[in-house]
Amino acid sequence: MSLFSRRWRWCRGIWLVTCVVLATSGLASAQATSTFNGRILDQGDAVLPGVTVTATNTSTGVARTTVTNGEGVYGMPGLEPGVYDVKTDLQGFAPAVRQRVTLGLNTTLTLDFKLALTGVQETVNVTGDAPLIEVTQSKFASTIETKELQNLPMITRSINGMLELLPGATPMTPIDNTKRSVGNVSFGGSSGTNVSATVDGADNRDPRQGGTLMNFTLDSLEQFQLATSQFSAVDGRTGGVAISMITKSGTNVFHGSGFLFARDKALTAKDYFSKQDNLDEVPYSRQQSGGSIGGPILRNRMFFFGAGEYVNENTSLPVPTRQFEQLELLAAATKAGKLPAGLVNPNHPHSGATPLHLTMYSMKTNLQLNNSHSLMGRFAGQKDTRLNNEFTTPNNDLREPVDSFQSFWSAVAQHGWVWSNRGLNQITGHVSHHGRLSDVRSVITGEHYTTDFPNVELFPPRLSFPAVNTGAGGTGGATADVDRMQIRDDVSLLTGTHGLRFGTDYSYLPHLGTLNNNEHFATLFFFDDPSVILSNSNGLYPQGFQTPGIVRQWQQANGGAVNGSGAWADSRRNSAQFSAWFQDDWRTTPRLTLNLGVRYDIDFNLWDQENLPNNATRLALEAIGHPNAEVPKTQFKNISPRVGFAYDLAGDGRRVLRGGYGLYFDQINQQPFGDISSQTHRPLNVVSTLINTAIGVGQLATYRFGIDPLPAQPTDGNSLAPGSLGQWIGSNVVDPRVHHMHIGYAHELGAATMFSVDYTHQEGRRGLIGLNINPIVKGVRVLAPDFIRVFGRPDVLNQVNIKSSIGKSQVDLLTFKFQRRLPRATLSAHYTLAGAYAYGGSIAARGGTTTPPQDSFDPLAPGEWGPTLQDERHRLVATGVFELPYGIQLSPVFQTASARPYNLTAGSDLNADGINNDRWIDPATGQQVSLNAGRGDPTVALDLRATKFFPLGGERRIAVFAEIFNVLDNVNLGGDFTGNARSALFRQPTGGFIPGIGYPRQLQLGARFLF
């Protein structure tokens, strides 16, 4: 038995024992991460020890009591977000009360008191919301509260739909199509994966692809907070942002809701592409319904809350006429016998249906045993089905669509224990599950390749052109069942003027990875579009598709189903993660607080280290004595120091200067490592390739498409086929890291008004860049002589992709934020001036750059440095909720941003190295452009919601509302433009748009019943 296997059994044993302990302790308070602290003085500014401070939650009646220490300091960590009355009591002094203080999620609010002698003043009462500034915290964070969650217009009504309204965040296309129902948000120009996400203190991060794992119905969420810089040592494994969410709890009063939202084709404007091409409006309808209920089980002691939601969406993505005509040319050529039959869908649609069925639910129970012990249990789930899930850019003929079926659930149990007047211990047990099936089906034969595998024959090859493609190609379907078993312990302790927090977190991740059939179907890549080939408009295709040497590349993997036999590509492994942290919020003076922290993270077998020595590419490199054959080691030195300060300039909490530095290690995404793991298991899953560097030049120089038979599919699962595509991890690979530097100033302009300005600078280092260490140089691959020397043939491997930790990135964010909260109105606005640049165009490159370097021998050349695809130089967001007379409420959301980049490529292998990724040469200058040199269109979006409330007696009421999304009917294409210079659509829109704000104008009607 291996060392790793023994460790897994030992760790699982610890996890099970801890779960038993939690189970026997009862139900198990919500992850209560909020804190009241402060210092109590007399009228002569002398500290007052022994003052009893009581905070009472006005909704539940649950009270927490503590006593000031010898420094006159008190602290109450581990409180649930909510509205509190805070009262002091000391014999000889008049009580002081702060009434209805709103305590936000993951917030530390400082409430200082000056007590007067009894008889001088009976009671000091202060009523109002909490301060908008955390005077003892250096982090830059933004919070969305229940009122905004319920009343702002959101076209998707999702967590990420709200997150994109906060400073530092921008909407983006999901990094993977399996995340379309969850979504992705870019933070600081990233690809949306650099996120540490927790719900009720439990991990909600996708361990394979990054970003958030599962969705929650918004009716189940109380608040969430986005910390974009200088977050504490409690959060880690990300160089980006920390997202904290907490679900709702029941109160002493029964409350609930029921809602229905609906919109359809009649309430939707015609989309941009249908208008441009004078086409009929595409089908559309969406219904969203659900509700919630919560209340007491035992008054002041035990509470419940539950929420559920269902979405039924029938929508289609239009295929612009330019792409449709290219596909029509292929269909006509097939009918005329110029193309082999079965390669093109003869009924390719002018719009592709992508229906969605989504169910979400959450159930929670809280029990306050006494002033010292509290328990919480929460179970949440999600199930979604989306057909044609891969049809996100309308350039495919839908010959073989991919249907997605996913299920998630998360179970949390938690115990909170208050230690006298000094501290709190919270232990959290968590189990989550993600199951998914991506099924490829043929609309021509009706066969399902994935569900019927291997008792179904291979589907026909894909034809891939610069503008369009056919079939499923490299997507052969996949299945996964990934679990997380987590134990986390948090300790908060007040000693003198030090607010300490320390803890550990352990997660076991069995079966991390997938079984997939990627690249089972062959793909044929062409240099030019069908219109060019069939018309011979450039003079290179005298025989049309039968012209020899016009196929740029052929690729196919072994394992495909043939005569009832085949093999999945297996990238699964058992992994584990451990973290420990220490945080000290040291109030050195009444005005100055230092936030000092350190964190340690270690991953076990996350890169499949147990099996990496068997990687087929590594073995071939080892045989020829290549230095990159070394197996990378587990990282044991990921120590992250954090230091920050918060200085209350006047001592009244109204003007605070904050800043600091932190080192943040990123977790490498597992999806790009799937190809590497697939070569470590047997049978192998290895892609073989044949490549032309130009028409008639290369391994396919004489190949005649449609006349000569296709290259044979590789079948041997135990050895590399000729021309295999190598996949390996460089010996220098380590976890990426980001240096955060931040300085900011916050000013409370009034009791409910705040303005702040914050500057953040991030330096990413040791990011992953994919290098080809076997390019073609002067017609010969670099490693060919070594392969001949050892194996007797030059084509053991063609391209060899190596993940190398040499990447760098830089992000600069200057954010101005204004916030005003009044009893009948809330207003928030922020403007960000930003720049996000990186080698390869990927911040921190957690999964390898999306664009490989043009020259593998000079991967950090000046032209490889460019903006990320989510880079927006300017971004302005304003939101508000306004209560008007006669029970009317208006809620606008306005967003505008500058144009996003896209990459401009030549469409030709200019340097003849075997990779068609060379950047475009601008004819105006004669110079090659740098990475992501193109810019799309700016973004402008205005959403508006108008609500009318009808009282029904007591707290019951009905809200009837209308929401208009994209009032201005702006296109909002973002950077979805074609960058291939050989495409007929060069520098034209692809047919995609920015999710969440790129839709045509839509009217949604709805109603909500509240009680």
Side-chain angles (χ1 to χ4, degrees):
M1 184 185 299
S2 71
L3 174 62
F4 280 122
S5 297
R6 289 195 297 271
R7 180 180 289 118
W8 302 148
R9 290 190 176 184
W10 180 75
C11 291
R12 286 199 297 269
I14 291 179
W15 189 91
L16 289 171
V17 168
T18 308
C19 284
V20 170
V21 171
L22 278 173
T24 57
S25 67
L27 273 174
S29 114
Q31 169 67 13
T33 57
S34 302
T35 300
F36 282 128
N37 67 16
R39 186 189 296 258
I40 301 182
L41 309 173
D42 64 15
Q43 295 298 309
D45 290 338
V47 298
L48 288 176
V51 180
T52 299
V53 184
T54 303
T56 304
N57 189 307
T58 60
S59 296
T60 64
V62 174
R64 171 84 71 79
T65 299
T66 189
V67 177
T68 57
N69 61 19
E71 304 291 332
V73 174
Y74 74 93
M76 289 185 187
L79 294 171
E80 286 193 54
V83 179
Y84 287 82
D85 291 339
V86 183
K87 179 181 180 180
T88 69
D89 184 52
L90 180 65
Q91 187 174 3
F93 289 84
V97 180
R98 291 288 296 268
Q99 294 180 324
R100 301 198 60 78
V101 179
T102 302
L103 181 63
L105 170 64
N106 217 21
T107 298
T108 299
L109 284 188
T110 300
L111 301 180
D112 293 336
F113 292 89
K114 269 194 175 183
L115 302 188
L117 293 172
T118 303
V120 176
Q121 227 172 349
E122 288 303 319
T123 303
V124 178
N125 287 284
V126 180
T127 304
D129 284 337
L132 293 174
I133 301 174
E134 295 183 75
V135 299
T136 63
Q137 298 297 305
S138 56
K139 68 182 179 183
F140 178 46
S142 302
T143 301
I144 292 182
E145 300 186 12
T146 303
K147 186 174 184 178
E148 295 158 315
L149 286 171
Q150 290 181 349
N151 298 302
L152 288 178
M154 286 181 293
I155 197 165
T156 58
R157 267 187 59 84
S158 66
I159 293 172
N160 284 318
M162 293 299 297
L163 284 174
E164 68 190 35
L165 302 179
L166 297 178
T170 57
M172 62 168 288
T173 301
I175 190 172
D176 186 86
N177 288 325
T178 60
K179 302 182 77 67
R180 291 182 65 185
S181 296
V182 177
N184 275 106
V185 178
S186 171
F187 304 99
S190 73
S191 58
T193 62
N194 55 344
V195 174
S196 171
T198 61
V199 180
D200 295 327
D203 210 323
N204 189 38
R205 174 173 39 193
D206 188 333
R208 181 170 175 265
Q209 297 170 342
T212 53
L213 178 63
M214 63 178 284
N215 230 331
F216 285 74
T217 170
L218 290 187
D219 273 38
S220 71
L221 294 177
E222 182 70 29
Q223 289 183 359
F224 56 84
Q225 184 188 82
L226 173 67
T228 54
S229 64
Q230 208 55 42
F231 43 91
S232 75
V234 176
D235 297 299
R237 280 198 171 86
T238 176
V241 300
I243 301 172
S244 302
M245 292 176 278
I246 188 167
T247 57
K248 289 180 180 178
S249 300
T251 68
N252 275 327
V253 179
F254 284 100
H255 286 290
S257 65
F259 64 86
L260 173 65
F261 301 79
R263 57 186 187 266
D264 63 14
K265 180 178 176 180
L267 304 176
T268 303
K270 186 180 289 189
D271 69 273
Y272 169 79
F273 297 100
S274 297
K275 285 192 291 187
Q276 290 288 105
D277 300 332
N278 197 27
L279 301 174
D280 292 337
E281 187 175 343
V282 298
Y284 184 84
S285 69
R286 178 184 171 99
Q287 300 83 39
Q288 194 166 4
S289 59
S292 65
I293 186 170
I297 299 175
L298 295 174
R299 186 173 177 80
N300 293 341
R301 295 285 300 278
M302 191 173 184
F303 314 93
F304 77 95
F305 188 86
E309 186 169 327
Y310 176 71
V311 177
N312 178 44
E313 181 179 84
N314 291 289
T315 184
S316 297
L317 186 66
V319 179
T321 296
R322 289 178 294 242
Q323 285 96 315
F324 184 86
E325 289 175 345
Q326 295 290 333
L327 293 170
E328 191 67 12
L329 287 172
L330 292 174
T334 302
K335 188 175 182 180
K338 298 178 181 179
L339 291 178
L343 302 185
V344 181
N345 180 5
N347 300 311
H348 62 96
H350 229 313
S351 65
T354 57
L356 166 70
H357 304 284
L358 170 65
T359 302
M360 297 176 288
Y361 56 89
S362 178
M363 299 169 284
K364 182 177 179 179
T365 304
N366 299 76
L367 174 61
Q368 188 73 31
L369 295 172
N370 51 43
N371 192 49
S372 299
H373 293 275
S374 57
L375 304 170
M376 182 272 284
R378 191 264 292 156
F379 186 86
Q382 173 186 337
K383 184 177 182 180
D384 67 72
T385 299
R386 188 186 291 270
L387 305 185
N388 295 353
N389 189 57
E390 302 286 328
F391 194 65
T392 56
T393 301
N395 59 359
N396 184 262
D397 68 343
L398 288 178
R399 190 186 75 197
E400 289 131 13
V402 181
D403 300 331
S404 173
F405 308 88
Q406 296 191 93
S407 62
F408 307 79
W409 59 260
S410 166
V412 177
Q414 192 175 88
H415 174 257
W417 178 19
V418 179
W419 296 340
S420 182
N421 301 313
R422 298 184 58 202
L424 168 76
N425 182 68
Q426 287 184 320
I427 185 167
T428 303
H430 175 221
V431 181
S432 66
H433 174 77
H434 176 204
R436 74 177 179 94
L437 167 67
S438 296
D439 184 29
V440 183
R441 59 182 168 88
S442 171
V443 299
I444 296 176
T445 67
E447 295 175 307
H448 291 253
Y449 187 78
T450 314
T451 55
D452 295 337
F453 182 83
N455 299 311
V456 62
E457 293 301 301
L458 280 173
F459 287 171
R462 160 175 283 189
L463 308 182
S464 183
F465 305 90
V468 294
N469 54 65
T470 72
T475 305
T479 182
D481 282 286
V482 179
D483 296 315
R484 179 186 291 272
M485 305 176 187
Q486 179 186 13
I487 284 292
R488 171 173 174 149
D489 192 28
D490 287 275
V491 177
S492 301
L493 188 64
L494 177 65
T495 173
T497 56
H498 296 266
L500 307 179
R501 188 173 179 187
F502 51 91
T504 59
D505 189 347
Y506 171 78
S507 288
Y508 174 57
L509 304 166
H511 308 302
L512 179 60
T514 66
L515 291 172
N516 68 74
N517 293 324
N518 290 351
E519 306 294 346
H520 277 192
F521 318 136
T523 300
L524 299 172
F525 297 88
F526 294 83
F527 289 97
D528 293 293
D529 280 323
S531 58
V532 176
I533 297 172
L534 290 168
S535 66
N536 191 26
S537 59
N538 60 4
L540 300 177
Y541 302 93
Q543 297 167 257
F545 272 103
Q546 283 71 50
T547 303
I550 68 169
V551 175
R552 177 171 63 82
Q553 180 172 320
W554 164 86
Q555 67 184 40
Q556 190 174 13
N558 64 304
V562 178
N563 297 324
S565 179
W568 296 89
D570 189 355
S571 65
R572 299 172 301 171
R573 83 298 304 257
N574 295 330
S575 304
Q577 298 177 312
F578 175 80
S579 303
W581 59 85
F582 178 84
Q583 182 75 26
D584 181 6
D585 295 333
W586 178 21
R587 198 170 183 183
T588 60
T589 72
R591 296 186 183 184
L592 177 64
T593 301
L594 298 181
N595 306 128
L596 309 174
V598 63
R599 182 183 175 92
Y600 177 73
D601 294 291
I602 185 171
D603 299 326
F604 298 103
N605 206 41
L606 203 63
W607 304 346
D608 200 15
Q609 286 96 325
E610 276 193 317
N611 296 302
L612 284 181
N614 299 321
N615 179 273
T617 297
R618 191 201 75 80
L619 293 173
L621 295 176
E622 184 179 56
I624 63 175
H626 198 279
N628 270 305
E630 183 180 346
V631 178
K633 297 178 174 58
T634 298
Q635 304 297 299
F636 289 99
K637 299 180 181 180
N638 288 359
I639 300 174
S640 312
R642 320 273 172 91
V643 56
F645 71 91
Y647 184 65
D648 186 351
L649 295 176
D652 58 2
R654 295 172 59 87
R655 293 179 295 148
V656 175
L657 183 68
R658 59 198 180 196
Y661 163 82
L663 174 63
Y664 298 82
F665 285 91
D666 239 324
Q667 174 186 309
I668 294 178
N669 289 347
Q670 299 311 296
Q671 184 181 25
F673 278 68
D675 293 332
I676 297 170
S677 292
S678 296
Q679 293 194 13
T680 67
H681 299 266
R682 303 296 185 272
L684 294 169
N685 176 258
V686 182
V687 177
S688 292
T689 62
L690 295 173
I691 296 172
N692 272 357
T693 57
I695 294 176
V697 180
Q699 295 170 308
L700 296 166
T702 60
Y703 178 74
R704 298 169 299 172
F705 175 66
I707 298 176
D708 299 328
L710 287 170
Q713 178 197 13
T715 56
D716 188 356
N718 294 307
S719 62
L720 293 171
S724 289
L725 176 63
Q727 302 280 4
W728 180 234
I729 308 173
S731 57
N732 68 344
V733 167
V734 294
D735 289 316
R737 63 285 320 264
V738 180
H739 300 269
H740 280 234
M741 287 149 276
H742 167 249
I743 188 73
Y745 171 73
H747 191 161
E748 189 174 295
L749 302 176
T753 306
M754 185 270 291
F755 171 79
S756 67
V757 56
D758 289 86
Y759 170 70
T760 299
H761 176 75
Q762 301 176 9
E763 291 279 349
R765 293 293 182 267
R766 306 302 298 271
L768 291 184
I769 288 183
L771 301 179
N772 175 22
I773 63 171
N774 194 28
I776 298 172
V777 177
K778 297 181 179 180
V780 179
R781 291 201 176 270
V782 170
L783 299 181
D786 289 322
F787 288 145
I788 293 174
R789 171 176 55 83
V790 175
F791 298 100
R793 57 187 179 89
D795 60 350
V796 175
L797 293 168
N798 270 355
Q799 181 178 331
V800 179
N801 295 327
I802 299 290
K803 303 294 185 185
S804 182
S805 290
I806 60 174
K808 299 178 182 179
S809 62
Q810 178 177 311
V811 177
D812 291 281
L813 301 166
L814 179 62
T815 300
F816 300 87
K817 180 181 176 181
F818 175 82
Q819 191 173 8
R820 184 169 175 81
R821 296 187 186 276
L822 298 173
R824 296 185 59 82
T826 64
L827 175 63
S828 179
H830 62 84
Y831 163 77
T832 301
L833 174 65
Y837 287 81
Y839 285 107
S842 180
I843 295 296
R846 308 170 81 238
T849 48
T850 55
T851 305
Q854 179 176 288
D855 184 355
S856 294
F857 298 107
D858 192 11
L860 303 184
E864 303 293 346
W865 179 264
T868 69
L869 295 178
Q870 285 74 43
D871 174 62
E872 290 179 336
R873 192 68 64 248
H874 307 278
R875 181 170 179 79
L876 172 66
V877 177
T879 66
V881 179
F882 304 99
E883 306 289 348
L884 304 179
Y886 307 109
I888 296 175
Q889 181 189 83
L890 287 181
S891 306
V893 173
F894 177 74
Q895 303 178 63
T896 184
S898 52
R900 297 186 182 188
Y902 63 98
N903 202 26
L904 299 174
T905 63
S908 301
D909 186 2
L910 300 180
N911 59 6
D913 66 348
I915 305 179
N916 190 22
N917 67 334
D918 302 72
R919 294 186 299 279
W920 180 58
I921 296 176
D922 188 348
T925 63
Q927 301 296 314
Q928 197 169 49
V929 299
S930 60
L931 187 73
N932 294 341
R935 287 277 176 175
D937 289 343
T939 298
V940 178
L942 173 63
D943 300 333
L944 182 64
R945 177 175 179 171
T947 305
K948 168 63 177 175
F949 291 95
F950 296 93
L952 300 177
E955 295 193 23
R956 294 178 301 161
R957 55 181 179 164
I958 288 179
V960 179
F961 53 84
E963 296 175 310
I964 305 178
F965 304 111
N966 195 6
V967 174
L968 306 176
D969 204 23
N970 204 48
V971 184
N972 295 324
L973 300 171
D976 281 308
F977 286 73
T978 303
N980 188 330
R982 294 186 74 156
S983 170
L985 307 179
F986 182 52
R987 308 198 83 163
Q988 300 297 312
T990 63
F993 49 82
I994 301 176
I997 58 176
Y999 298 92
R1001 181 171 53 236
Q1002 297 183 13
L1003 172 64
Q1004 177 166 268
L1005 303 177
R1008 180 185 290 271
F1009 172 59
L1010 302 166
F1011 66 92

